[in-house]
């Protein structure tokens, strides 16, 4: 819990799927939250969404920030004890140019760190991803000490952007003057599922469940990787922020076992949903599709992937026990179905 004098946290990307859950967790634990949005019109939406989730928003304020602009960052961080930098572009589809995704990911992370340095914050928590660890591996187990080779031609633009952003952040922190005491932690989530706060299901993971439930994914890719529930992820973000021993760590936020799209579809079918299909798309079909479909192209590097995660350090450090994938997918589908039927 925060102390009687409320500590203030700058949360970038507060209107997103993960950002909203982190804001909820912080506010419920007694922190003051300053959330960043690209457009101040989003502020009202965030307030309404959190209030509907029975969150006390009296200690929530907003600032406008852009990952590709220096404007406002120092003012946003001023008076904050912590920064939780969650904002970053996320889409499975490869963009038309790499810079569209890589530039805001890398520059946004560095802007958050520079603002934190200038404001004298205690610690910055950066939301990275397991894709910055697992690289182009197809089988086996990866962990916090592993790094993706960003020069590999086998990885997607998203994977490259998360790897380069995290690398740049660690390099920045390593080069801080000895007199600077700002601490740094990364949280590296797996595939993030779980019920959204609010009614926005346009994000990548929510869109996948939405398409499954509506029968719009007649074939699923042959991919399996570790996943995490967004509610567990939000708790980990706060623990990574306040736990002394977390400083300097890469926190692997995912279950240990791989979960496939076919398994997800089967969970939904077992729950009585009629739309999901467990038919696996042949790899050659996705390779053909990738010639003219940027989303299919973004999946090529993951075809045939069946990876496990070594999350022993996360479990030990925080006493963490994640929800089961089955529970997470069931809760996600229930929430998405309710939104669809509104």
């Amino acid at each position: 819990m925060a102390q009687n004098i409320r500590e203030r946290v700058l949360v970038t990307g507060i209107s997103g799927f993960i950002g909203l859950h982190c804001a909820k967790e912080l506010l419920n634990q007694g922190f003051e939250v300053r959330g960043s949005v690209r457009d101040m019109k989003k502020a009202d939406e965030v307030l309404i969404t959190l209030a509907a989730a029975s969150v006390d928003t009296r200690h929530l304020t907003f600032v406008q920030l852009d990952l590709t602009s220096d404007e406002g960052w120092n003012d946003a961080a001023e008076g904050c004890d912590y920064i939780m930098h969650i904002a970053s572009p996320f889409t499975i589809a490869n963009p038309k140019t790499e810079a569209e995704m890589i530039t805001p990911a890398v520059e946004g992370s560095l802007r958050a760190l520079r603002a934190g340095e200038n404001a004298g914050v205690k610690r910055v928590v950066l939301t990275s991803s397991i894709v910055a660890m697992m690289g182009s591996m197809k089988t086996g187990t990866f962990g916090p000490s592993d790094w993706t080779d960003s020069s590999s031609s086998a990885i997607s633009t998203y994977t490259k952007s998360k790897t380069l952003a995290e690398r740049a952040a660690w390099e920045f922190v390593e080069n801080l003057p000895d007199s600077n005491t700002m601490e740094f932690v990364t949280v590296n989530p797996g595939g993030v599922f779980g019920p959204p706060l609010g009614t926005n299901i346009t994000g990548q993971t929510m869109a996948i469940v939405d398409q499954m439930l509506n029968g719009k994914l007649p074939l699923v890719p042959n991919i399996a990787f570790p996943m995490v529930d967004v509610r567990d992820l939000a708790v980990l973000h706060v623990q990574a922020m306040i736990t002394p021993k977390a400083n300097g760590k890469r926190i692997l936020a995912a279950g240990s076992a791989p979960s496939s799209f076919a398994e997800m579809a089967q969970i939904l079918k077992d729950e009585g949903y009629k739309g999901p299909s467990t038919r696996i798309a042949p790899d050659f079909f996705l390779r053909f599709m990738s010639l003219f479909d940027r989303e299919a192209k973004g999946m090529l590097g993951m075809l045939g992937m069946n990876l496990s995660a070594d999350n022993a350090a996360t479990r030990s450090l925080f006493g963490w026990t994640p929800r089961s994938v089955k529970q997470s997918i069931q809760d996600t589908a229930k929430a998405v179905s309710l939104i669809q039927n509104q």
Side-chain angles (χ1 to χ4, degrees), residues 90-112:
F90 173 43
T91 176
I92 293 173
N94 278 350
K96 292 180 179 178
T97 65
E98 285 190 337
E100 290 178 42
M101 189 177 290
I102 293 173
T103 299
V106 174
E107 291 187 357
S109 297
L110 293 177
R111 285 187 169 93

Side-chain angles (χ1 to χ4, degrees), residues 285-297 300:
F285 175 74
L286 280 176
R287 290 193 178 95
F288 171 71
M289 289 289 292
S290 72
L291 297 175
F292 48 87
D293 186 294
R294 287 189 287 126
E295 188 161 312
K297 188 174 183 179
L300 286 184

Side-chain angles (χ1 to χ4, degrees), residues 16 36 42 44 63 65 74 77 81 109 147 198 230 255 275 292-293 334 337:
S36 86
K42 280 280 187 181
D44 287 341
V63 290
L65 294 176
N74 286 337
D81 298 281
S109 297
W147 277 96
V230 69
F292 48 87
D293 186 294
K334 183 178 179 180
S337 294

Side-chain angles (χ1 to χ4, degrees), residues 243-267:
T243 303
K245 290 184 179 179
N247 179 38
K249 299 284 198 305
R250 303 174 80 203
I251 309 302
L252 200 163
S256 56
S259 300
S260 69
F261 285 94
E263 288 168 6
M264 288 171 50
Q266 189 60 57
I267 290 170

Side-chain angles (χ1 to χ4, degrees), residues 42-59:
K42 280 280 187 181
D44 287 341
E45 181 183 315
V46 172
L47 283 169
I48 292 168
T49 298
L50 290 172
S54 302
V55 178
D56 184 348
T57 60
R58 288 176 297 172
H59 298 282

Side-chain angles (χ1 to χ4, degrees), residues 222-292:
N222 179 28
I223 299 170
F225 53 89
M227 298 183 185
V228 66
D229 189 283
V230 69
R231 295 163 292 186
D232 296 331
L233 180 59
V235 170
L236 275 182
H237 270 78
V238 179
Q239 289 179 322
M241 187 182 79
I242 63 176
T243 303
K245 290 184 179 179
N247 179 38
K249 299 284 198 305
R250 303 174 80 203
I251 309 302
L252 200 163
S256 56
S259 300
S260 69
F261 285 94
E263 288 168 6
M264 288 171 50
Q266 189 60 57
I267 290 170
L268 297 175
K269 287 172 72 72
D270 291 344
E271 285 295 295
Y273 295 102
K274 305 301 182 184
S277 169
T278 57
R279 294 179 61 198
I280 297 174
D283 288 356
F284 75 83
F285 175 74
L286 280 176
R287 290 193 178 95
F288 171 71
M289 289 289 292
S290 72
L291 297 175
F292 48 87

Side-chain angles (χ1 to χ4, degrees), residues 172-243:
F172 178 93
V173 173
E174 288 164 6
N175 289 317
L176 284 172
D178 293 339
S179 59
N180 191 289
T181 59
M182 184 177 73
E183 298 177 342
F184 182 62
V185 185
T186 67
V187 178
N188 297 63
V192 186
F193 290 87
L197 292 178
T199 59
N200 187 341
I201 54 175
T202 59
Q204 196 71 65
T205 52
M206 291 301 98
I208 290 171
V209 176
D210 184 27
Q211 290 168 2
M212 280 186 169
L213 294 177
N214 286 327
K216 294 180 180 178
L217 285 181
L219 298 171
V220 293
N222 179 28
I223 299 170
F225 53 89
M227 298 183 185
V228 66
D229 189 283
V230 69
R231 295 163 292 186
D232 296 331
L233 180 59
V235 170
L236 275 182
H237 270 78
V238 179
Q239 289 179 322
M241 187 182 79
I242 63 176
T243 303

